[in-house]
Amino acid sequence: MRILRQHLSENGLKLTRQRLSIAEQFLDCEGHLSAEELYHQLSDGSQRVGLATVYRTLKMLVDAGLAQVRHFPDGTARYENVYGEPAHDHLICVECGRIIEVENPLLQELYQRSFDLYGFVASGHRLVITGVCGPCQNSR
Amino acid sequence: MRILRQHLSENGLKLTRQRLSIAEQFLDCEGHLSAEELYHQLSDGSQRVGLATVYRTLKMLVDAGLAQVRHFPDGTARYENVYGEPAHDHLICVECGRIIEVENPLLQELYQRSFDLYGFVASGHRLVITGVCGPCQNSR
DNA sequence: ATCACTGCAAAGTCTTTGCAACGAC
DNA sequence: GTCGTTGCAAAGACTTTGCAGTGAT
């Protein structure tokens, strides 16, 4: 929230009712929200916002460094709250669609080390592992 | 090619001129092709095919295990020739858009080991690292 | 009062689908 | 001859944009 206000004032942007609603709802949620999902969550309340505004605000949250986009295999962009969250990877079960988040600091470190070879300086990564999750293994 | 024929006959599918053109062109190419790009490459030749057919055939190549889809940050699906290719990861430069492929068997192994903990059996993975590539570092 | 923001609807992408003609087996 | 395939154009999903009115500073 602090970061958001700072980003706004630094860029001559305004803190509107809509941006506040969207940011609050978004930052409250763990996990991966699509613009559409966020839009529906907000339409329940009295503070309705347009879908276009949700898209615009999410993009702004990315600029502010509070969110990250990720394009999932279903073709939709999903946004993830990134503030204070440790880096993590995703396991996606091809049977049930479940998304599991994994933290593995060791991997993070290896990434950077191996990519140094290419003179490449990493600023972020997205790792998606597809496979079959435990529960689905068992129910086979 | 062999695999393709086998996949076709196993599933009662037919080997058409179009499928042949698309598969040849696709398997010849290294890297990441979008349906649109493949379509344009093919439209140069005498063997024109419809864009819809390119989409349908690429999907079929995925089923046959010859291709992999990947959704890139630009929102398009890109297909990658996967036959006999070692597993590899991608570095994407946020400045110039360049895509660098990296092989790192050590990482591959670590993946599986760490995800075993979750009872998760991986069948594939997509790792995308974003950052700034060597040339772009230098030109700063 | 200014200038950014919003909502809506229209436009834009990328991809899929319906359908009649076509072609591989 | 059968039944999968093709090409086209229309439809669909997701996202962006134009614009006139609205609102934060």
Side-chain angles (χ1 to χ4, degrees), chain B residues 8-114:
Chain B
L8 292 173
S9 64
E10 276 176 1
N11 294 82
L13 306 174
K14 292 170 182 174
L15 180 58
T16 61
R17 177 181 68 68
Q18 289 88 339
R19 283 178 177 166
L20 205 61
S21 301
I22 295 170
E24 278 177 351
Q25 180 75 30
F26 175 75
L27 296 173
D28 263 10
C29 287
E30 301 291 318
H32 319 78
L33 284 172
S34 67
E36 198 90 23
E37 283 164 1
L38 199 44
Y39 171 69
H40 278 113
Q41 290 183 12
L42 289 166
S43 62
D44 292 343
S46 53
Q47 301 289 58
R48 309 191 75 267
V49 291
L51 179 56
T53 302
V54 174
Y55 275 104
R56 287 187 278 230
T57 303
L58 282 172
K59 195 164 275 185
M60 192 209 66
L61 288 172
V62 173
D63 289 343
L66 289 166
Q68 245 184 17
V69 219
R70 206 176 286 269
H71 291 261
F72 279 90
D74 67 352
T76 70
R78 291 173 172 281
Y79 293 79
E80 191 164 6
N81 176 351
V82 108
Y83 175 69
E85 297 284 319
H88 60 266
D89 303 317
H90 295 91
L91 310 182
I92 298 186
C93 177
V94 296
E95 302 220 334
C96 65
R98 189 187 320 241
I99 299 177
I100 305 167
E101 298 194 347
V102 200
E103 267 177 66
N104 193 332
L106 178 58
L107 281 181
Q108 319 293 330
E109 201 183 307
L110 270 169
Y111 295 150
Q112 187 56 62
R113 203 176 299 159
S114 57

